Amino acid sequence: ENELFTSLTAARNYVESLKLRPLLMLEDEAMKDFEGIQTEDPNSVVVGLSPSNFHYKRLNEAFNLLKNGASLIAINKSRYIKTDVGLSIGTGAFVSTLEFASDKKAHVIGKPSKDFFHLALKELDPKLQPHEALMVGDDVRDDVLGAQQAGLIGALVKTGKYLL
C-alpha cells in the first residue's frame, strides 16, 4: 500500500511536522493527500501543479500571504510537463513568480531536491545508501541530474516528456 513515495507525501509530512496551515494551490486529485490538514487562517502557501489555481486572483492571494509572513513551499519546480495536448508549463514557473514578487525563496519538497531523494530512500529502506539506488526518469534535469546530485544512479528513459 505504501510503495509510492511522492512529492505530495513528502509535502504533507513537512506541513504536518511544522504544524503549518497551508493555502493549498493543488488540483482536487492532489487535495486528498492533504485531508485532515487544517487550512483555516493560512500561515504558508503550498504550490503544486494546479492549472485551475494559476490565475491572477489566486496568485495574488498567495502573494499577499507571503508578504505577510507566510512560508512558501513548492511541491516541485518542474519547468514543464507532458499533457495530452503536448508540453505545458510546469509548477516551477508559478513558484518562481511568487518567489520574485514576494522576495521569498521556496522550500522545494520534490524533485530535484536532494532531500526528496534521501527521504524516498529512507521510506523504502532505512539502510539503503544513495549509491545503491537507481532513479529512472524522463526528465534530464529534475529526474536524472537531481538523483545524481543526491548520490543516486540516474537513468534517462526516452518516454514521457523526454525530448530529442
Side-chain angles (χ1 to χ4, degrees), residues 13-79:
N13 293 348
Y14 182 77
V15 165
E16 283 182 316
S17 72
L18 296 178
K19 297 179 179 22
L20 298 174
R21 300 177 312 277
L23 168 70
L24 296 168
M25 297 183 72
L26 304 169
E27 290 300 308
D28 289 342
E29 185 177 315
M31 292 294 268
K32 65 184 176 201
D33 288 285
F34 288 84
E35 285 179 2
I37 298 287
Q38 184 180 357
T39 57
E40 288 112 34
D41 190 27
N43 61 1
S44 60
V45 175
V46 173
V47 182
L49 182 62
S50 186
S52 68
N53 280 287
F54 297 148
H55 55 80
Y56 187 82
K57 183 177 179 183
R58 188 69 163 168
L59 287 167
N60 203 47
E61 179 184 4
F63 162 74
N64 279 292
L65 285 169
L66 296 169
K67 288 305 280 181
N68 286 307
S71 56
L72 179 58
I73 301 155
I75 300 292
N76 63 60
K77 281 188 88 172
S78 60
R79 292 174 297 153

Side-chain angles (χ1 to χ4, degrees), residues 4-164:
L4 287 180
F5 183 82
T6 68
S7 53
L8 290 169
T9 305
R12 182 194 172 97
N13 293 348
Y14 182 77
V15 165
E16 283 182 316
S17 72
L18 296 178
K19 297 179 179 22
L20 298 174
R21 300 177 312 277
L23 168 70
L24 296 168
M25 297 183 72
L26 304 169
E27 290 300 308
D28 289 342
E29 185 177 315
M31 292 294 268
K32 65 184 176 201
D33 288 285
F34 288 84
E35 285 179 2
I37 298 287
Q38 184 180 357
T39 57
E40 288 112 34
D41 190 27
N43 61 1
S44 60
V45 175
V46 173
V47 182
L49 182 62
S50 186
S52 68
N53 280 287
F54 297 148
H55 55 80
Y56 187 82
K57 183 177 179 183
R58 188 69 163 168
L59 287 167
N60 203 47
E61 179 184 4
F63 162 74
N64 279 292
L65 285 169
L66 296 169
K67 288 305 280 181
N68 286 307
S71 56
L72 179 58
I73 301 155
I75 300 292
N76 63 60
K77 281 188 88 172
S78 60
R79 292 174 297 153
Y80 56 87
I81 60 167
K82 184 175 181 182
T83 67
D84 54 354
V85 296
L87 296 179
S88 296
I89 295 173
T91 308
F94 301 97
V95 172
S96 294
T97 296
L98 291 170
E99 285 178 321
F100 177 77
S102 68
D103 204 25
K104 286 200 173 192
K105 184 141 178 68
H107 179 80
V108 181
I109 299 290
K111 299 179 294 184
S113 163
K114 288 181 187 181
D115 290 341
F116 173 74
F117 290 104
H118 292 161
L119 286 170
L121 290 178
K122 186 177 175 184
E123 285 286 319
L124 286 171
D125 180 348
K127 296 177 185 173
L128 189 62
Q129 295 299 307
H131 68 275
E132 300 173 312
L134 171 67
M135 164 61 188
V136 179
D138 64 357
D139 185 298
V140 172
R141 189 179 96 177
D142 292 347
D143 296 340
V144 178
L145 292 178
Q148 290 174 345
Q149 290 171 348
L152 287 75
I153 301 165
L156 180 67
V157 292
K158 295 182 179 181
T159 60
K161 69 178 182 180
Y162 172 81
L163 292 175
L164 296 175

